[in-house]
């Protein structure tokens, strides 16, 4: 197992990225990505619909990987415009490197969703601040309830789901009400990928969605006063657990996230086990 030790000369960085794009040779992409990530830790999911990854490593290694993903001739320019969301780390977020071949890069639980050819209406962080202040906008948190509990945009609605695949049911049940009230739907998630998949599906229902470009992490990066709109912290699915609006690690523990809710006990135990096993 590789271990990352940050030094004063080379900061430990976390980078998150995704892109919906047709990959006809997904297995070959998996093999190539394994070569490109030999000096990094984290995970990348690869499917015919694109890639979804989170990595950590020394700044130089992160930069080398990002440049390769954008410019390596192997990818034929398919990731030339991919966006990376970086944040500094004190705690090493991951203990090993995995590149997995999957049927989807984010599982919505609805078959036939085309997130490559269609998507919602991207809203920049500055525009988002203005949008969610409007009375005719319903702001939906497209994350799990334990994430919502830790932090959220003011006036956001918690769909009350414990798994992303349960989200479509909530949407189907509430769309008629929103339409009857003349509401516009604004949606956000941590990094943007869940909203991309959901908004593509909702377009098939005839419901356009305004989605926060780059998700909460991008909002924190682009808005120095993000705390004006965001209450609490932002949960991240790695060993850091949570970040504040300055993208700094907090002292939040797994017990703070999952404790006190019997339905989340299995998540707490699983998180502890993965942490102990170095997953």
């Amino acid at each position: 197992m590789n271990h990352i030790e940050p030094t004063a000369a080379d900061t430990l960085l976390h980078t998150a990225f995704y892109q919906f794009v047709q990959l006809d040779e997904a297995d070959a992409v998996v093999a190539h990505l394994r070569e490109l990530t030999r000096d990094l830790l984290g995970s990348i999911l690869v499917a015919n619909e694109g890639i979804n990854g989170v990595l950590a490593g020394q700044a130089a290694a992160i930069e080398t990987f990002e440049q390769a993903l954008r410019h390596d001739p192997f990818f034929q320019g398919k990731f030339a415009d991919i966006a990376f969301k970086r944040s500094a780390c004190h705690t090493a977020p991951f203990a090993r490197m995995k590149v997995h071949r999957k049927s989807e890069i984010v599982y919505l639980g609805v078959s036939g969703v085309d997130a490559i050819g269609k998507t919602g209406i991207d809203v920049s962080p500055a525009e988002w601040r203005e949008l969610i202040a409007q009375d005719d906008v319903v702001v939906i948190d497209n994350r799990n309830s334990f994430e919502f509990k830790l932090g959220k945009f003011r006036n956001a609605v918690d769909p009350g789901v414990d798994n992303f695949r349960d989200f479509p049911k909530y949407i189907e049940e509430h769309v008629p009400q929103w339409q009857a009230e003349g509401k516009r739907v604004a949606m956000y998630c941590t990094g943007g990928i869940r909203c991309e998949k959901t908004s593509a599906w909702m377009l098939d229902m005839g419901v356009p969605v305004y989605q926060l470009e780059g998700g909460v992490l991008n909002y924190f990066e682009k808005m120095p006063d993000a705390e004006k709109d965001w209450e609490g912290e932002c949960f991240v699915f790695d060993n850091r657990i949570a970040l504040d609006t300055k993208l700094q690690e907090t002292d939040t523990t797994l017990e703070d996230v999952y404790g006190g809710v019997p339905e989340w006990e299995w998540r707490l135990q699983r998180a502890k086990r993965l942490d102990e096993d170095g997953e």
Side-chain angles (χ1 to χ4, degrees), residues 98-115:
K98 298 179 181 179
V99 182
H100 291 299
R101 175 75 159 87
K102 296 288 187 178
S103 59
E104 300 176 70
I105 57 174
V106 59
Y107 185 67
L108 179 62
V110 179
S111 61
V113 177
D114 177 16

Side-chain angles (χ1 to χ4, degrees), residues 87-146:
S87 55
C89 306
H90 299 297
T91 300
F94 314 106
R96 61 184 65 180
M97 184 67 229
K98 298 179 181 179
V99 182
H100 291 299
R101 175 75 159 87
K102 296 288 187 178
S103 59
E104 300 176 70
I105 57 174
V106 59
Y107 185 67
L108 179 62
V110 179
S111 61
V113 177
D114 177 16
I116 299 174
K118 64 183 74 170
T119 186
I121 304 164
D122 280 332
V123 179
S124 71
E127 295 169 330
W128 178 261
R129 169 170 285 172
E130 296 181 6
L131 176 68
I132 63 176
Q134 304 303 310
D135 292 335
D136 67 335
V137 174
V138 56
V139 183
I140 307 299
D141 190 310
N142 193 351
R143 303 177 303 157
N144 300 307
S145 285
F146 63 86

Side-chain angles (χ1 to χ4, degrees), residues 7-279:
T7 67
D10 204 3
T11 304
L12 181 65
L13 290 179
H14 178 283
T15 184
F17 54 93
Y18 73 89
Q19 186 154 327
F20 286 99
V21 62
Q22 184 63 39
L23 298 178
D24 296 322
E25 302 294 336
D27 290 335
V29 171
V30 167
H32 197 64
L33 286 171
R34 284 174 177 160
E35 289 297 314
L36 293 178
T37 55
R38 284 180 296 179
D39 296 326
L40 298 168
L41 302 176
S43 68
I44 303 177
L45 306 182
V46 181
N48 293 119
E49 67 177 2
I51 64 172
N52 178 19
V54 285
L55 300 173
Q58 303 299 327
I62 290 291
E63 178 67 23
T64 297
F65 170 81
E66 291 177 349
Q67 291 302 313
L69 194 58
R70 283 177 171 154
H71 305 298
D72 191 321
F74 174 86
F75 298 117
Q76 301 177 324
K78 291 188 175 182
F79 304 115
D81 298 321
I82 195 168
F84 297 99
K85 291 177 284 292
R86 287 184 176 187
S87 55
C89 306
H90 299 297
T91 300
F94 314 106
R96 61 184 65 180
M97 184 67 229
K98 298 179 181 179
V99 182
H100 291 299
R101 175 75 159 87
K102 296 288 187 178
S103 59
E104 300 176 70
I105 57 174
V106 59
Y107 185 67
L108 179 62
V110 179
S111 61
V113 177
D114 177 16
I116 299 174
K118 64 183 74 170
T119 186
I121 304 164
D122 280 332
V123 179
S124 71
E127 295 169 330
W128 178 261
R129 169 170 285 172
E130 296 181 6
L131 176 68
I132 63 176
Q134 304 303 310
D135 292 335
D136 67 335
V137 174
V138 56
V139 183
I140 307 299
D141 190 310
N142 193 351
R143 303 177 303 157
N144 300 307
S145 285
F146 63 86
E147 298 174 79
F148 183 91
K149 170 192 170 188
L150 196 63
K152 62 183 177 63
F153 278 104
R154 289 186 174 85
N155 301 320
V157 176
D158 178 14
V161 302
D162 287 332
N163 195 296
F164 183 48
R165 68 175 68 93
D166 300 323
F167 191 77
K169 181 180 178 182
Y170 173 85
I171 294 296
E172 290 172 334
E173 290 175 348
H174 289 81
V175 160
Q177 175 187 340
W178 298 332
Q179 292 176 326
E181 296 174 350
K183 295 286 190 180
R184 292 181 291 164
V185 178
M187 189 175 293
Y188 69 91
C189 54
T190 307
I193 189 169
R194 283 178 274 188
C195 291
E196 292 265 10
K197 196 70 174 279
T198 305
S199 65
W201 166 65
M202 290 179 68
L203 280 175
D204 291 335
M205 301 170 63
V207 182
V209 177
Y210 295 89
Q211 58 192 26
L212 175 56
E213 185 178 55
V216 177
L217 298 181
N218 188 48
Y219 195 82
F220 288 176
E221 179 182 349
K222 297 294 177 24
M223 304 295 281
D225 56 351
E227 66 277 2
K228 288 184 178 180
D229 311 294
W230 183 266
E231 300 173 337
E233 303 169 0
C234 183
F235 179 83
V236 289
F237 287 91
D238 59 55
N239 293 336
R240 296 173 300 169
I241 303 178
L243 305 179
D244 62 21
T245 58
K246 305 302 181 185
L247 293 173
Q248 298 297 310
E249 295 175 44
T250 70
D251 294 328
T252 295
T253 66
L254 293 171
E255 286 76 9
D256 293 331
V257 176
Y258 303 117
V261 182
E263 292 81 5
W264 298 345
E265 180 62 25
W266 70 271
R267 288 187 178 276
L268 175 60
Q269 297 307 320
R270 179 179 183 272
K272 287 182 175 180
R273 185 173 65 254
L274 292 180
D275 184 48
E276 292 169 357
D277 294 344
E279 289 292 336

